[in-house]
Amino acid sequence: SRLPDGIHRWLFEPAPRARVAVFRAVVYSFIFVDVLLTTSWIAGHGDLPGELYHPLWLGRVLHLPTPTPLLVAIIQWGLLGAAVAVFGKAPRVMGAAVALLYLWWMLIGFSYGKVDHDRVAFLVALAVLPTVGPAGPHDAQDDAAAGWALRCIQIAVVLTYFLAAFAKFRFGGLEWLTGATLTRAVIRRGTWLASPLAEYPVLLQAFQYLIVLFELSSPLLLARGRIGRVFLGGAFAFHVLTYASITIIFLPHVVCLLAFLPLERIPERMRRMRLRTA
Protein backbone atom coordinates (compact mmCIF):
# COMPACT_ATOMS: atom_id res chain seq x y z
CA SER A 1 0.00 0.00 0.00
CA ARG A 2 3.00 2.32 0.38
CA LEU A 3 3.97 1.92 -3.27
CA PRO A 4 2.79 4.44 -5.88
CA ASP A 5 -0.41 3.25 -7.54
CA GLY A 6 1.19 2.74 -10.96
CA ILE A 7 4.02 0.58 -9.59
CA HIS A 8 1.61 -1.34 -7.37
CA ARG A 9 -0.71 -2.12 -10.31
CA TRP A 10 2.27 -3.20 -12.43
CA LEU A 11 3.75 -5.47 -9.76
CA PHE A 12 0.44 -7.09 -8.85
CA GLU A 13 -1.19 -7.14 -12.27
CA PRO A 14 -3.44 -10.24 -12.18
CA ALA A 15 -2.37 -13.20 -14.31
CA PRO A 16 -4.14 -16.50 -15.04
CA ARG A 17 -3.45 -19.11 -12.40
CA ALA A 18 -3.13 -21.64 -15.21
CA ARG A 19 -0.03 -19.80 -16.39
CA VAL A 20 1.61 -20.37 -13.01
CA ALA A 21 0.48 -24.01 -13.01
CA VAL A 22 2.17 -24.74 -16.34
CA PHE A 23 5.27 -22.74 -15.46
CA ARG A 24 5.52 -24.48 -12.08
CA ALA A 25 5.30 -27.89 -13.77
CA VAL A 26 8.22 -26.96 -16.03
CA VAL A 27 10.31 -25.53 -13.19
CA TYR A 28 9.89 -28.45 -10.80
CA SER A 29 10.41 -30.97 -13.61
CA PHE A 30 13.64 -29.20 -14.51
CA ILE A 31 14.89 -29.85 -10.97
CA PHE A 32 15.46 -33.47 -11.98
CA VAL A 33 17.35 -32.49 -15.13
CA ASP A 34 19.52 -30.08 -13.19
CA VAL A 35 20.30 -32.20 -10.14
CA LEU A 36 20.84 -35.47 -12.00
CA LEU A 37 22.50 -34.12 -15.16
CA THR A 38 23.64 -30.51 -15.44
CA THR A 39 24.81 -30.11 -11.82
CA SER A 40 25.39 -33.75 -10.95
CA TRP A 41 29.01 -32.80 -10.21
CA ILE A 42 27.84 -31.15 -6.98
CA ALA A 43 27.21 -34.62 -5.51
CA GLY A 44 30.96 -35.22 -5.60
CA HIS A 45 31.71 -32.23 -3.37
CA GLY A 46 30.93 -34.31 -0.32
CA ASP A 47 34.09 -36.32 -1.01
CA LEU A 48 36.37 -33.28 -1.20
CA PRO A 49 38.70 -32.33 1.67
CA GLY A 50 37.01 -29.98 4.12
CA GLU A 51 39.74 -27.35 3.85
CA LEU A 52 38.70 -26.68 0.24
CA TYR A 53 35.25 -25.57 1.40
CA HIS A 54 34.98 -21.77 1.51
CA PRO A 55 31.27 -21.06 2.03
CA LEU A 56 29.66 -18.14 0.30
CA TRP A 57 28.39 -15.22 2.37
CA LEU A 58 24.98 -16.78 2.97
CA GLY A 59 26.56 -20.06 3.98
CA ARG A 60 28.70 -18.25 6.52
CA VAL A 61 25.75 -16.31 7.91
CA LEU A 62 23.69 -19.50 8.30
CA HIS A 63 26.70 -21.45 9.65
CA LEU A 64 26.05 -24.28 7.20
CA PRO A 65 28.15 -27.36 7.95
CA THR A 66 30.97 -28.56 5.74
CA PRO A 67 29.58 -30.94 3.11
CA THR A 68 30.04 -34.65 3.71
CA PRO A 69 28.95 -37.57 1.52
CA LEU A 70 25.96 -38.24 3.80
CA LEU A 71 24.87 -34.59 4.00
CA VAL A 72 25.10 -34.07 0.23
CA ALA A 73 23.13 -37.28 -0.40
CA ILE A 74 20.39 -36.21 2.03
CA ILE A 75 20.07 -32.80 0.37
CA GLN A 76 20.10 -34.28 -3.14
CA TRP A 77 17.46 -36.94 -2.60
CA GLY A 78 15.43 -34.77 -0.27
CA LEU A 79 15.30 -32.14 -2.99
CA LEU A 80 14.16 -34.65 -5.59
CA GLY A 81 11.55 -36.05 -3.24
CA ALA A 82 10.19 -32.59 -2.45
CA ALA A 83 10.05 -31.78 -6.18
CA VAL A 84 7.78 -34.80 -6.65
CA ALA A 85 5.63 -34.02 -3.60
CA VAL A 86 5.05 -30.42 -4.70
CA PHE A 87 2.55 -31.70 -7.28
CA GLY A 88 0.42 -33.08 -4.45
CA LYS A 89 -1.85 -31.31 -1.97
CA ALA A 90 0.71 -29.04 -0.26
CA PRO A 91 2.31 -26.86 -2.94
CA ARG A 92 3.14 -24.11 -0.45
CA VAL A 93 4.93 -26.30 2.10
CA MET A 94 6.67 -28.59 -0.38
CA GLY A 95 7.46 -25.69 -2.70
CA ALA A 96 9.19 -23.91 0.19
CA ALA A 97 11.13 -27.10 0.92
CA VAL A 98 12.27 -27.28 -2.71
CA ALA A 99 13.38 -23.64 -2.61
CA LEU A 100 15.43 -24.09 0.58
CA LEU A 101 16.99 -27.40 -0.45
CA TYR A 102 17.89 -26.16 -3.92
CA LEU A 103 19.45 -23.04 -2.41
CA TRP A 104 21.57 -25.26 -0.17
CA TRP A 105 22.45 -27.41 -3.19
CA MET A 106 23.68 -24.28 -4.98
CA LEU A 107 25.65 -23.08 -1.94
CA ILE A 108 27.45 -26.41 -1.85
CA GLY A 109 28.14 -26.24 -5.56
CA PHE A 110 29.56 -22.71 -5.60
CA SER A 111 31.51 -22.69 -2.33
CA TYR A 112 34.59 -24.20 -3.96
CA GLY A 113 35.39 -21.49 -6.50
CA LYS A 114 33.43 -20.38 -9.57
CA VAL A 115 29.91 -18.95 -9.10
CA ASP A 116 27.50 -19.09 -12.03
CA HIS A 117 25.01 -16.28 -12.56
CA ASP A 118 22.45 -18.27 -14.52
CA ARG A 119 20.74 -19.48 -11.32
CA VAL A 120 19.54 -16.12 -10.00
CA ALA A 121 16.15 -16.03 -11.73
CA PHE A 122 15.63 -19.76 -11.09
CA LEU A 123 16.21 -19.30 -7.36
CA VAL A 124 13.77 -16.39 -7.35
CA ALA A 125 11.23 -18.56 -9.17
CA LEU A 126 11.52 -21.30 -6.55
CA ALA A 127 11.13 -18.71 -3.79
CA VAL A 128 7.97 -17.03 -5.12
CA LEU A 129 6.06 -19.92 -6.68
CA PRO A 130 4.93 -21.34 -3.31
CA THR A 131 3.21 -18.03 -2.52
CA VAL A 132 0.64 -18.67 -5.26
CA GLY A 133 -0.74 -21.82 -3.68
CA PRO A 134 -2.82 -24.43 -5.53
CA ALA A 135 -3.31 -23.77 -9.24
CA GLY A 136 -4.46 -26.03 -12.05
CA PRO A 137 -3.60 -25.99 -15.75
CA HIS A 138 -7.22 -25.21 -16.62
CA ASP A 139 -7.74 -22.57 -13.93
CA ALA A 140 -8.52 -19.46 -15.98
CA GLN A 141 -9.08 -17.25 -12.94
CA ASP A 142 -6.90 -14.13 -12.86
CA ASP A 143 -5.02 -13.74 -9.60
CA ALA A 144 -2.86 -10.92 -8.26
CA ALA A 145 -0.69 -13.45 -6.40
CA ALA A 146 0.04 -15.26 -9.66
CA GLY A 147 0.82 -11.97 -11.37
CA TRP A 148 3.17 -10.90 -8.58
CA ALA A 149 5.10 -14.19 -8.67
CA LEU A 150 5.55 -14.04 -12.44
CA ARG A 151 6.58 -10.38 -12.27
CA CYS A 152 9.26 -11.16 -9.68
CA ILE A 153 10.69 -13.83 -11.97
CA GLN A 154 10.62 -11.47 -14.95
CA ILE A 155 12.46 -8.78 -12.99
CA ALA A 156 15.08 -11.33 -11.90
CA VAL A 157 15.61 -12.34 -15.54
CA VAL A 158 16.12 -8.72 -16.56
CA LEU A 159 18.49 -8.03 -13.67
CA THR A 160 20.54 -11.10 -14.56
CA TYR A 161 21.15 -9.70 -18.04
CA PHE A 162 21.57 -6.09 -16.94
CA LEU A 163 24.00 -6.77 -14.10
CA ALA A 164 25.98 -9.21 -16.26
CA ALA A 165 27.07 -6.21 -18.33
CA PHE A 166 28.35 -4.46 -15.20
CA ALA A 167 30.15 -7.64 -14.12
CA LYS A 168 31.96 -7.70 -17.44
CA PHE A 169 33.24 -4.18 -16.90
CA ARG A 170 34.01 -4.83 -13.23
CA PHE A 171 36.21 -7.85 -13.83
CA GLY A 172 37.28 -7.36 -17.43
CA GLY A 173 37.14 -3.62 -17.89
CA LEU A 174 36.72 -2.08 -21.33
CA GLU A 175 39.07 -4.78 -22.60
CA TRP A 176 36.11 -7.16 -22.45
CA LEU A 177 34.73 -5.23 -25.42
CA THR A 178 37.96 -4.58 -27.28
CA GLY A 179 39.85 -7.73 -26.38
CA ALA A 180 39.77 -11.31 -27.59
CA THR A 181 37.07 -12.61 -25.25
CA LEU A 182 35.00 -14.39 -27.90
CA THR A 183 38.04 -15.34 -29.95
CA ARG A 184 39.41 -17.23 -26.97
CA ALA A 185 36.05 -18.90 -26.39
CA VAL A 186 35.79 -19.95 -30.04
CA ILE A 187 39.33 -21.37 -30.02
CA ARG A 188 38.73 -23.27 -26.79
CA ARG A 189 35.24 -24.65 -27.38
CA GLY A 190 33.94 -23.43 -30.70
CA THR A 191 31.78 -25.73 -32.81
CA TRP A 192 31.98 -26.23 -36.57
CA LEU A 193 29.61 -23.29 -36.85
CA ALA A 194 31.86 -20.85 -34.98
CA SER A 195 35.37 -22.13 -35.60
CA PRO A 196 35.76 -20.33 -38.97
CA LEU A 197 35.06 -17.02 -37.18
CA ALA A 198 38.38 -17.31 -35.32
CA GLU A 199 40.00 -15.92 -38.45
CA TYR A 200 37.90 -12.76 -38.20
CA PRO A 201 38.62 -11.26 -34.75
CA VAL A 202 37.12 -7.91 -35.73
CA LEU A 203 33.77 -9.60 -36.36
CA LEU A 204 33.95 -11.34 -32.98
CA GLN A 205 34.70 -8.01 -31.30
CA ALA A 206 31.58 -6.61 -32.94
CA PHE A 207 29.61 -9.48 -31.41
CA GLN A 208 31.04 -8.51 -28.01
CA TYR A 209 29.59 -5.01 -28.39
CA LEU A 210 26.25 -6.50 -29.43
CA ILE A 211 26.17 -8.79 -26.39
CA VAL A 212 26.70 -5.89 -23.98
CA LEU A 213 24.15 -3.77 -25.87
CA PHE A 214 21.66 -6.62 -25.60
CA GLU A 215 22.26 -6.97 -21.85
CA LEU A 216 21.93 -3.25 -21.18
CA SER A 217 18.72 -3.17 -23.23
CA SER A 218 17.21 -6.12 -21.35
CA PRO A 219 14.59 -3.96 -19.52
CA LEU A 220 12.78 -3.93 -22.88
CA LEU A 221 11.73 -7.48 -22.01
CA LEU A 222 9.22 -5.87 -19.66
CA ALA A 223 7.74 -3.70 -22.40
CA ARG A 224 4.25 -4.50 -23.57
CA GLY A 225 3.28 -5.37 -27.10
CA ARG A 226 5.53 -5.99 -30.05
CA ILE A 227 8.69 -4.54 -28.50
CA GLY A 228 8.61 -6.99 -25.61
CA ARG A 229 7.78 -9.94 -27.88
CA VAL A 230 10.59 -9.11 -30.30
CA PHE A 231 13.12 -8.75 -27.50
CA LEU A 232 11.95 -12.03 -25.94
CA GLY A 233 12.43 -13.78 -29.27
CA GLY A 234 15.89 -12.20 -29.46
CA ALA A 235 16.71 -13.53 -25.99
CA PHE A 236 15.80 -17.09 -26.97
CA ALA A 237 17.75 -16.72 -30.23
CA PHE A 238 20.76 -15.41 -28.31
CA HIS A 239 20.90 -18.51 -26.11
CA VAL A 240 20.36 -20.89 -29.02
CA LEU A 241 23.14 -19.20 -31.00
CA THR A 242 25.47 -19.21 -27.99
CA TYR A 243 25.01 -22.93 -27.54
CA ALA A 244 25.33 -23.65 -31.25
CA SER A 245 28.58 -21.68 -31.49
CA ILE A 246 30.47 -22.23 -28.21
CA THR A 247 28.33 -24.90 -26.45
CA ILE A 248 27.41 -22.68 -23.51
CA ILE A 249 23.80 -22.80 -22.39
CA PHE A 250 22.19 -21.15 -19.35
CA LEU A 251 19.39 -23.68 -18.95
CA PRO A 252 17.85 -22.48 -15.65
CA HIS A 253 17.76 -18.94 -17.00
CA VAL A 254 16.19 -20.07 -20.28
CA VAL A 255 13.51 -21.90 -18.29
CA CYS A 256 12.70 -18.64 -16.50
CA LEU A 257 12.25 -16.85 -19.82
CA LEU A 258 9.04 -18.88 -20.11
CA ALA A 259 7.55 -16.60 -17.43
CA PHE A 260 7.07 -14.01 -20.19
CA LEU A 261 4.90 -16.33 -22.31
CA PRO A 262 1.12 -17.01 -22.17
CA LEU A 263 1.65 -20.59 -21.04
CA GLU A 264 -2.00 -21.00 -20.09
CA ARG A 265 -2.78 -21.51 -23.78
CA ILE A 266 -0.85 -24.79 -23.91
CA PRO A 267 -3.36 -26.97 -21.95
CA GLU A 268 -6.27 -25.58 -23.98
CA ARG A 269 -4.52 -26.28 -27.27
CA MET A 270 -3.63 -29.78 -26.11
CA ARG A 271 -7.27 -30.35 -25.19
CA ARG A 272 -8.40 -29.22 -28.63
CA MET A 273 -5.88 -31.53 -30.28
CA ARG A 274 -7.19 -34.48 -28.26
CA LEU A 275 -10.76 -33.62 -29.28
CA ARG A 276 -9.79 -33.45 -32.95
CA THR A 277 -8.00 -36.79 -32.66
CA ALA A 278 -11.01 -38.36 -30.95
Side-chain angles (χ1 to χ4, degrees):
S1 60
R2 298 178 181 178
L3 293 173
D5 290 342
I7 297 178
H8 188 277
R9 287 195 300 269
W10 181 74
L11 283 175
F12 293 91
E13 181 180 6
R17 297 176 66 84
R19 186 178 304 178
V20 170
V22 176
F23 181 75
R24 184 162 55 191
V26 175
V27 167
Y28 290 132
S29 298
F30 178 75
I31 291 286
F32 293 88
V33 176
D34 194 44
V35 172
L36 298 177
L37 295 176
T38 55
T39 62
S40 59
W41 46 270
I42 295 179
H45 281 180
D47 299 318
L48 297 177
E51 56 269 21
L52 297 179
Y53 177 64
H54 297 281
L56 300 177
W57 175 83
L58 186 58
R60 297 194 301 270
V61 170
L62 298 177
H63 301 286
L64 297 180
T66 301
T68 63
L70 177 60
L71 177 62
V72 173
I74 291 174
I75 295 171
Q76 181 182 23
W77 295 107
L79 173 58
L80 295 177
V84 172
V86 79
F87 293 102
K89 297 182 179 181
R92 294 183 188 272
V93 175
M94 300 313 302
V98 171
L100 292 174
L101 288 171
Y102 188 82
L103 175 61
W104 198 348
W105 182 253
M106 289 293 99
L107 290 174
I108 292 175
F110 299 135
S111 291
Y112 293 84
K114 177 175 174 286
V115 179
D116 293 336
H117 68 280
D118 64 335
R119 311 278 160 171
V120 175
F122 195 75
L123 285 167
V124 171
L126 293 178
V128 299
L129 285 175
T131 66
V132 181
H138 300 288
D139 189 350
Q141 179 183 357
D142 287 340
D143 184 11
W148 178 81
L150 292 169
R151 188 71 77 197
C152 288
I153 300 166
Q154 293 170 357
I155 293 173
V157 168
V158 170
L159 287 177
T160 300
Y161 286 128
F162 196 78
L163 296 177
F166 286 93
K168 290 177 175 62
F169 293 130
R170 177 186 176 189
F171 297 105
L174 291 177
E175 287 77 11
W176 197 97
L177 289 172
T178 61
T181 306
L182 286 184
T183 301
R184 180 173 180 268
V186 168
I187 292 174
R188 287 182 59 213
R189 52 190 307 160
T191 65
W192 63 269
L193 184 65
S195 294
L197 297 178
E199 301 179 5
Y200 304 95
V202 175
L203 182 59
L204 291 174
Q205 283 183 354
F207 283 137
Q208 290 167 189
Y209 279 92
L210 290 176
I211 289 173
V212 173
L213 178 62
F214 164 77
E215 291 173 337
L216 293 177
S217 303
S218 58
L220 292 175
L221 275 169
L222 300 172
R224 296 180 182 274
R226 182 176 299 178
I227 294 177
R229 293 194 297 269
V230 169
F231 205 91
L232 179 62
F236 279 112
F238 167 74
H239 290 290
V240 171
L241 182 61
T242 301
Y243 182 74
S245 57
I246 54 177
T247 62
I248 293 177
I249 186 68
F250 306 112
L251 275 179
H253 185 81
V254 172
V255 168
C256 290
L257 283 173
L258 299 177
F260 292 90
L261 296 175
L263 301 176
E264 69 276 7
R265 299 177 184 175
I266 296 177
E268 180 61 23
R269 290 182 179 178
M270 292 178 64
R271 187 183 69 85
R272 291 177 181 177
M273 291 176 61
R274 288 196 297 268
L275 290 175
R276 292 194 188 102
T277 303

